[in-house]
Amino acid sequence: MNVFWHSSVTGPIIGVLWSFVIATTVAVLLSFTTGDAFRPGLIGCLFMGGFAGIMAVQPVSRVLVAACAAILAVAFSYTAVSPVHVAGNVGHGGHWAAGIAFGIGLAWPVRVMFDGCPKGVLGRHEWEAAVIRFLTGVGYIFFTAAVAIPFYVMVMTSLKTQGELIANPLDFSIDFNRGWELLRSYEELFRDFNFGRYMWTSFYISVLTVLITLLFSIPGAYAVARLRFKGQKGLSRSILLIYMVPMIVLALPIYIAFSMTGLRNSIIGIVMIYPVTTIPVALYMLQGYFRGLPAEVEEAGLMDGLGRLQVIWKITLPLSLPALASVSLYVFMIAWNEFLLAFMLLDDPSKFTLTRGIASLNSSEIPRQHLMAGAVIATVPVMVMFLGLEKFMTRGLTAGSVKG
Amino acid sequence: MTITVPPKGIGPLARREARLAWGLLLPTLISVMLVVILPLLAIIWISFKPVTLADLRTAEPIIREDLRDADEAKPYIRYRIRNSSRSDPIFNVVFSDVVPEGVTLLSTPDGCDLDGAVLTCDLGDLEPGGRITLEVPVTLEEGGAIKDGTAPAITGSAQNVLTNGEFTLANFIAIFDAREFWTVVGTTLFYTVVGTLGALIVGLFAALLLNKSFPGQGLLRGLYLFPYVAPVIAVAFSWVILFDPFSGSVNALLIQMGVTEQAINFFGERPLALIMVTVFEIWRYFPLSFLFILARMQSIDTDMYEAADVDGASPFQKFRYLSLPMLMGILSVLFLLRFIWTFNKFDDIFLLTGGNAGTRTLTVNVYEQAFALSNIGAGAAVAVIILMCLLTFSWFFFRFMSKEEGL
C-alpha cells in the first residue's frame, strides 16, 4: 500500500490518465475545428503521461516542463508512437498545433495537480489534494464538452449548406467568408415556413399563460401561506400531487374532450390548458415566498384599516416583486418550451406554436439545417432571457422544484 | 378575581378568514378540477370502454338537397340523407325544410307533413352507413327564377360509445396479454432507475466542481444549466443529428479514431437505443439536481469544515463524513421527485426514437396504443396502470416528505 502513495507511482498514474483525457480532447477539438483527421495514440500517451507524472514532483520550473513536453510531443507526432496521431495529408501546422496543445495541456496541469507535493511518499492530504485536482480538471473538460457540443452542433448545422454537411460531418468550422449567406436557412424559415408567425403565436401564448397563471396563483398562494383554515395542509399537499400526474395521461382525455367540443386546433384551447399545468408550480413557488415575508407588516396594514385584498395588493405584492419576476420567467419558459400538448392539439399550420412548427420540420423532405435553424430560433430567446436574468431564474428553479 | 380562559372553538373572525381563503382558492381549485381531476376520472372511465380513434366523431345524419328540373320529365326535389358513421345507428332522424317560393309540392312522401311552406319528414332510424333518398315531385312556376334560401335542418340522436353503458375489460386483458408488456415495464424500470441515479450522481459531481468561487464560475454555472432550460424539441433533435448513423459527427469521429469500423446506429439498435435515451435523460436533467445540491451545499455552515480542518480531516473524509450526511436529505427528496418525473417522461423518448428499438416505456405506450394503433381504450388502460404506480410512489413520497420537510 505504501508504494501506492509514493510520488513516483501516483504521479505517472495520474499523468497517464490525464494524458488520455488531454489527447482525446486535443484530437476531438482539432478534428472539429479543422475537419482533418486527428486521433489519440495509446503508446504515446503512456510514455508522455509517465514522463509528465515523474517531472511533476521534480524541482524544475513549470514553464520548462511544459516546453519540454510540447517539444517532445511535436517530435513524436511524426513517429508511430505519437500521443496524438496526425493524418498523413495534414501539413506541419497540424503537427505543431497538436503537439504543442497536447504538451502544454498535459504537463502544466499535471504539475499544478502535484503542487506542494514532496518527492517520495505522499501524505494523505497531499495525495487526496492531487487526486481531487485531477478529478476537477477532468470534470471541467467533461461537463463543458458534454454541454457545449450539442449546442454548438445545433448552431453550426443551421449555418451550413446541405453539401457541406454531407461532405465532411467532422468539420465544425464556420466559414465566415460566406457573409449573409450563412443565415440562408433562417431567412427561408421566416420567409417560406412562417416562422415569424409561429414565434409571435408562441410569444403571446406564453405571455397570456403567465398572466393567467399569476391571476390564479397569487390569491391561491396567499391563502395557503397566510390564512388559517381547515384543510390547509392537505391542500398544499394535493398541489404537489398534481406535479406527479404525467402530462401524457392528461393529454389523452383532453384530446378527446377538445375533439368533441371543437376546441382542438384552436389557440383558445391551448391558452386554456397551459395555465393549468403551470398554476400548481407557480402557487407552490409563491406560497414559499409569501411565508418568508414578515407577517407584521401585513398586520400593521390590517390595523390601519385595510381589507385583506387591499393588504395583498398594497403590501404583499410590492414586497414580492422579485418572486413574481422569477415565477413569471419560469412560467414563460415552461409555456415557450411546451411541446406535447401543442403537438397533439394543433394540426393547422396557421396556428402552430414554435415548438409545433419545429416538429413539422422533422421530415425527410426538409433539409436538416432548417430543422436546426428552427431549434436555434426556439432556443435563443430562452437562453438570452436566462443568461440576462440568471439570478431570478436560478431562484425560481430552486424554489419551484420544477417539473420537467 | 376571575380567571380568564382563551376562547374555544372557531370564532366569527376565524370563520371569516376561512371563507376568504376558500374564496381566494376557488378559481384555482375549479380550474384544477376541470383539467386534472375530470380528465383523470375520464381516463379511468375510458379504460373500460371499447373506444377507437374513429369513435370520437359521433354518428351524424347528413342531408343534401337538390332540385332536379333540367333533364327530367317531371321536376322533383331530391333529398339525400346518409349516416356519417359506418358503425353506429342514428335514431329518430327528422328533417325539415322550407319549400322555396315558386315551387309547389304535388304530393308528400310517407312520414312527411307539409305545414304552410315547411316540409317536415320523420325518417325513423338510420342504420350504420345507411342512405335514404327522398324524391318529392313538384311543379315550378313558369319564368321565375327559383331561389332556395334555406338549407334543410336535420336532427337525430346517436349513441356515443363514450357515454353509453357498455363496459369491457378487454382493454386491460389485451394490455396484459400483449407479449411486449413486460418488456415495456422492464424498459421503464431501467430508464427510470438508471436515469434518476445517473442524473443525481452527475449532478452531485457538477455541484462539487462549482462549489468554490473562481472567475467565470457564474458563466460555467449558466452553461451547465443550458440542457435543462432549452426547449426539449431543440436539444432532442440536436442529439439525433449529432448521432446520426449516416452523417452524424460522432460516428465520423469514432470511425476516424478507429473505435468502430462501421457507423453505429445509436438510436436504432436494440440495447444501445435505450442506453442512449437514458444518457440523454441524465444529460438533460443533471442541471436540476446540480442546482439543488449546490444550493444546499452553499448553505452548510463553514464552521464545521474549519473544525474538521483543525482535527486533521482529509478532503475525502470531509466529503464523506460532513458533506454527504448534510446532503442526504436533499438527495433523497431529489431522488423521489426525479424518480416520479422520469417515470412520467414522454416527450424526450418520443422525439429521440419514437419508442422504437426497445425504448418504449409505459408513457410512450399510452401514445402508441391510443394514436398509432388508434385504440384509445387500450391507451387509457395503460394510463390507468401508470396512475396506479404513481399512487404508490407518491404514498412513499409523502411518507418520506413528512419526515424530510423542506423543498
Side-chain angles (χ1 to χ4, degrees):
Chain A
M1 199 59 208
N2 232 351
V3 182
F4 192 61
W5 298 93
H6 202 282
S7 67
S8 58
V9 177
T10 308
I13 289 177
I14 288 186
V16 167
L17 291 177
W18 184 252
S19 78
F20 285 138
V21 173
I22 286 297
T24 316
T25 313
V26 168
V28 171
L29 215 62
L30 284 177
S31 298
F32 280 169
T33 45
T34 62
D36 292 324
F38 295 86
R39 63 191 170 86
L42 181 67
I43 301 170
C45 280
L46 281 175
F47 177 77
M48 290 290 293
F51 164 77
I54 289 168
M55 291 309 286
V57 285
Q58 308 299 330
V60 193
S61 92
R62 283 177 200 177
V63 183
L64 197 66
V65 177
C68 269
I71 292 165
L72 265 179
V74 173
F76 274 141
S77 73
Y78 289 96
T79 67
V81 291
S82 168
V84 180
H85 288 297
V86 183
N89 58 347
V90 183
H92 292 295
H95 286 268
W96 281 83
I100 292 174
F102 173 79
I104 295 176
L106 171 69
W108 191 290
V110 170
R111 186 60 204 265
V112 173
M113 286 172 205
F114 284 92
D115 249 357
C117 290
K119 262 161 91 171
V121 178
L122 298 179
R124 180 173 186 153
H125 282 249
E126 290 148 349
W127 186 81
E128 282 184 9
V131 171
I132 285 175
R133 287 194 200 118
F134 165 72
L135 288 177
T136 312
V138 175
Y140 284 132
I141 292 180
F142 170 78
F143 280 109
T144 309
V147 173
I149 288 179
F151 285 99
Y152 186 70
V153 167
M154 191 159 94
V155 177
M156 186 267 309
T157 311
S158 73
L159 299 178
K160 295 216 156 185
T161 62
Q162 190 74 7
E164 287 175 314
L165 282 173
I166 291 175
N168 187 359
L170 263 189
D171 192 357
F172 274 31
S173 58
I174 297 168
D175 182 10
F176 285 102
N177 293 329
R178 282 170 54 213
W180 289 110
E181 264 294 284
L182 276 176
L183 300 176
R184 217 181 63 197
S185 303
Y186 294 89
E187 195 194 319
E188 279 170 21
L189 278 189
F190 279 107
R191 196 185 55 217
D192 305 333
F193 290 89
N194 264 331
F195 259 61
R197 189 201 201 123
Y198 298 164
M199 249 182 127
W200 169 240
T201 311
S202 259
F203 175 76
Y204 78 73
I205 286 183
S206 306
V207 169
L208 279 177
T209 306
V210 170
L211 292 179
I212 298 174
T213 304
L214 286 183
L215 200 68
F216 279 61
S217 59
I218 288 173
Y222 186 84
V224 173
R226 269 284 186 274
L227 304 177
R228 274 157 301 175
F229 61 98
K230 257 192 193 150
Q232 191 176 20
K233 206 171 178 192
L235 210 71
S236 48
R237 276 193 173 187
S238 29
I239 295 167
L240 258 182
L241 205 63
I242 294 168
Y243 273 174
M244 291 168 196
V245 182
M247 209 56 230
I248 179 81
V249 170
L250 293 182
L252 185 58
I254 288 172
Y255 177 88
I256 295 171
F258 275 25
S259 299
M260 294 176 111
T261 52
L263 279 171
R264 200 161 77 85
N265 230 338
S266 71
I267 302 277
I268 298 175
I270 290 283
V271 174
M272 276 166 62
I273 288 298
Y274 277 10
V276 183
T277 62
T278 51
I279 284 173
V281 192
L283 208 154
Y284 195 71
M285 284 162 80
L286 281 176
Q287 61 115 11
Y289 191 85
F290 287 161
R291 264 184 228 278
L293 290 177
E296 288 79 7
V297 189
E298 290 173 22
E299 277 156 18
L302 285 175
M303 296 303 281
D304 287 345
L306 291 178
R308 272 287 178 185
L309 296 178
Q310 284 170 308
V311 165
I312 298 180
W313 182 249
K314 291 195 172 151
I315 298 176
T316 315
L317 284 189
L319 281 177
S320 44
L321 276 181
L324 292 181
S326 320
V327 172
S328 312
L329 277 173
Y330 185 61
V331 169
F332 187 90
M333 188 187 96
I334 296 184
W336 181 272
N337 289 354
E338 209 288 329
F339 160 73
L340 177 60
L341 286 171
F343 180 73
M344 287 179 72
L345 298 178
L346 298 176
D347 295 325
D348 177 359
S350 68
K351 289 169 186 154
F352 278 180
T353 62
L354 199 50
T355 47
R356 181 67 184 86
I358 296 169
S360 72
L361 291 180
N362 183 27
S363 87
S364 50
E365 288 133 43
I366 295 169
R368 45 189 204 158
Q369 63 270 27
H370 283 58
L371 180 62
M372 285 295 96
V376 172
I377 294 172
T379 310
V380 164
V382 184
M383 291 299 170
V384 169
M385 216 173 69
F386 177 76
L387 284 183
L389 303 157
E390 198 222 334
K391 269 208 181 107
F392 286 126
M393 285 293 268
T394 5
R395 199 182 305 147
L397 288 171
T398 27
S401 73
V402 176
K403 186 166 184 167
Chain B
M1 187 182 137
T2 53
I3 305 161
T4 47
V5 270
K8 276 185 209 155
I10 304 165
L13 268 177
R15 229 173 285 142
R16 226 178 86 188
E17 194 168 307
R19 255 206 311 277
L20 177 68
W22 284 109
L24 290 177
L25 275 165
L26 203 63
T28 308
L29 289 181
I30 291 174
S31 61
V32 166
M33 275 293 268
L34 279 177
V35 184
V36 179
I37 314 285
L38 265 186
L40 285 187
L41 293 178
I43 206 134
I44 296 172
W45 174 270
I46 294 167
S47 69
F48 292 102
K49 293 262 174 197
V51 192
T52 59
L53 210 52
D55 293 327
L56 289 189
R57 215 169 288 136
T58 323
E60 277 175 358
I62 294 169
I63 187 165
R64 284 226 188 106
E65 172 197 27
D66 43 356
L67 177 64
R68 316 279 298 185
D69 61 343
D71 310 321
E72 307 293 332
K74 279 180 181 168
Y76 59 88
I77 297 178
R78 185 171 64 175
Y79 294 103
R80 284 178 298 177
I81 299 116
R82 67 180 178 87
N83 184 343
S84 70
S85 162
R86 308 208 139 266
S87 53
D88 298 317
I90 306 173
F91 307 104
N92 302 324
V93 180
V94 176
F95 82 85
S96 61
D97 189 27
V98 180
V99 178
E101 268 179 55
V103 177
T104 323
L105 299 193
L106 291 178
S107 68
T108 52
D110 288 344
C112 293
D113 279 320
L114 189 63
D115 180 15
V118 182
L119 178 73
T120 312
C121 293
D122 185 350
L123 300 173
D125 300 345
L126 201 56
E127 278 155 30
R131 287 165 186 280
I132 297 176
T133 309
L134 284 182
E135 291 176 2
V136 187
V138 292
T139 52
L140 304 178
E141 205 171 274
E142 288 299 319
I146 294 154
K147 258 187 157 179
D148 188 6
T150 53
I154 190 161
T155 57
S157 64
Q159 267 205 334
N160 193 324
V161 197
L162 283 175
T163 45
N164 67 11
E166 189 186 342
F167 291 98
T168 168
L169 278 175
N171 293 325
F172 286 97
I173 294 169
I175 290 297
F176 280 113
D177 272 356
R179 202 155 37 90
E180 86 270 349
F181 180 73
W182 294 108
T183 328
V184 168
V185 172
T187 309
T188 313
L189 275 182
F190 176 86
Y191 179 71
T192 312
V193 173
V194 179
T196 309
L197 283 179
L200 265 192
I201 292 168
V202 175
L204 179 63
F205 192 47
L208 285 171
L209 277 184
L210 288 183
N211 189 26
K212 47 187 124 178
S213 52
F214 54 89
Q217 189 235 22
L219 196 75
L220 272 188
R221 195 176 55 189
L223 181 73
Y224 289 179
L225 288 173
F226 269 18
Y228 181 70
V229 285
V232 58
I233 190 163
V235 284
F237 282 145
S238 315
W239 271 58
V240 169
I241 281 180
L242 189 61
F243 288 96
D244 189 89
F246 304 109
S247 50
S249 310
V250 170
N251 266 310
L253 196 69
L254 288 182
I255 290 173
Q256 182 207 286
M257 287 190 174
V259 182
T260 75
E261 299 266 299
Q262 274 188 320
I264 304 170
N265 192 355
F266 282 99
F267 288 111
E269 278 166 32
R270 216 138 232 283
L272 196 59
L274 180 58
I275 294 171
M276 284 306 292
V277 167
T278 315
V279 169
F280 180 81
E281 158 80 19
I282 295 173
W283 178 81
R284 190 160 143 71
Y285 295 101
F286 89 86
L288 190 73
S289 4
F290 141 71
L291 208 60
F292 277 89
I293 297 171
L294 189 64
R296 183 75 188 87
M297 270 180 180
Q298 286 173 343
S299 70
I300 298 179
D301 218 338
T302 47
D303 293 358
M304 284 204 319
Y305 290 104
E306 282 160 21
D309 280 335
V310 172
D311 290 345
S314 73
F316 281 149
Q317 282 173 323
K318 276 192 281 187
F319 173 71
R320 169 69 189 79
Y321 295 105
L322 279 183
S323 310
L324 212 52
M326 297 296 282
L327 294 176
M328 231 35 220
I330 189 79
L331 283 178
S332 30
V333 170
L334 270 178
F335 176 80
L336 276 169
L337 272 179
R338 289 271 6 126
F339 188 88
I340 292 171
W341 290 338
T342 314
F343 186 84
N344 291 347
K345 206 72 236 167
F346 167 77
D347 3 12
D348 302 34
I349 302 177
F350 179 70
L351 286 170
L352 287 174
T353 65
N356 298 318
T359 57
R360 193 188 300 175
T361 59
L362 280 169
T363 43
V364 179
N365 207 17
V366 174
Y367 185 87
E368 189 80 16
Q369 299 284 351
F371 294 98
L373 303 175
S374 323
N375 189 351
I376 290 206
V382 181
V384 169
I385 296 172
I386 293 178
L387 283 178
M388 296 299 198
C389 300
L390 283 176
L391 274 183
T392 326
F393 297 153
S394 35
W395 181 76
F396 269 108
F397 182 78
F398 281 119
R399 258 191 81 93
F400 191 79
M401 279 282 278
S402 47
K403 275 184 263 165
E404 203 62 60
E405 53 117 18
L407 203 88

